[in-house]
Amino acid sequence: MNKKQRKIYDTLFKEPMRDDILWHDVITLIKAIGGSATQEDNLGFRFELKTLSLNIYTPHPQKELKRYQVKAIREFYLRQGLTHEIQRI
C-alpha cells in the first residue's frame, strides 16, 4: 500500500464520516490490499477480498461516495479483520 492508498484507507475510517472520497480511489485501494473489483453491470461492482464479497453500486451522478457506501466499505474491511490500525503493506 503506497502513501496515497494509506491516506484513502485512513479517510474511510475518519469521524465524522467524510463525503469527499472518490470512487476510483476506493477501487485502487481494494486492489492494493489484495482484493479485486469487477464490474457486474452498468452501475454495480463486486469487491472481493479473502473469503468475502461486497456488491455495491457506483455513486452517480457525482464521483464521490455517499455516506451509506462509505459505511458499507468500512464494514466490509472490518469483517475481513482489517482495522483502522492496519499495518503498512
Side-chain angles (χ1 to χ4, degrees):
M1 180 180 313
N2 66 30
K3 196 175 198 179
K4 181 178 179 183
Q5 293 158 345
R6 176 63 195 196
K7 185 177 178 183
I8 295 162
Y9 186 86
D10 290 342
T11 301
L12 282 168
F13 286 91
K14 283 193 178 180
E15 289 294 341
M17 198 176 294
R18 302 279 298 266
D19 61 359
D20 62 346
I21 302 169
L22 297 176
W23 175 252
H24 174 74
D25 290 343
V26 171
I27 292 175
T28 302
L29 176 63
I30 192 86
K31 291 177 181 178
I33 59 176
S36 66
T38 52
Q39 190 163 1
E40 293 290 305
D41 54 32
N42 287 341
L43 297 175
F45 266 77
R46 181 178 186 91
F47 292 166
E48 294 181 339
L49 183 62
K50 299 180 184 174
T51 61
L52 295 178
S53 63
L54 171 68
N55 293 325
I56 191 167
Y57 286 106
T58 59
H60 62 282
Q62 71 281 3
K63 296 178 184 178
E64 297 84 14
L65 294 173
K66 295 178 178 155
R67 289 181 186 262
Y68 77 90
Q69 292 169 314
V70 173
K71 184 177 178 181
I73 292 169
R74 277 184 187 180
E75 291 172 359
F76 177 66
Y77 286 144
L78 292 174
R79 284 193 326 255
Q80 289 295 335
L82 300 176
T83 65
H84 178 60
E85 300 302 322
I86 190 172
Q87 293 185 0
R88 295 179 192 270
I89 298 173

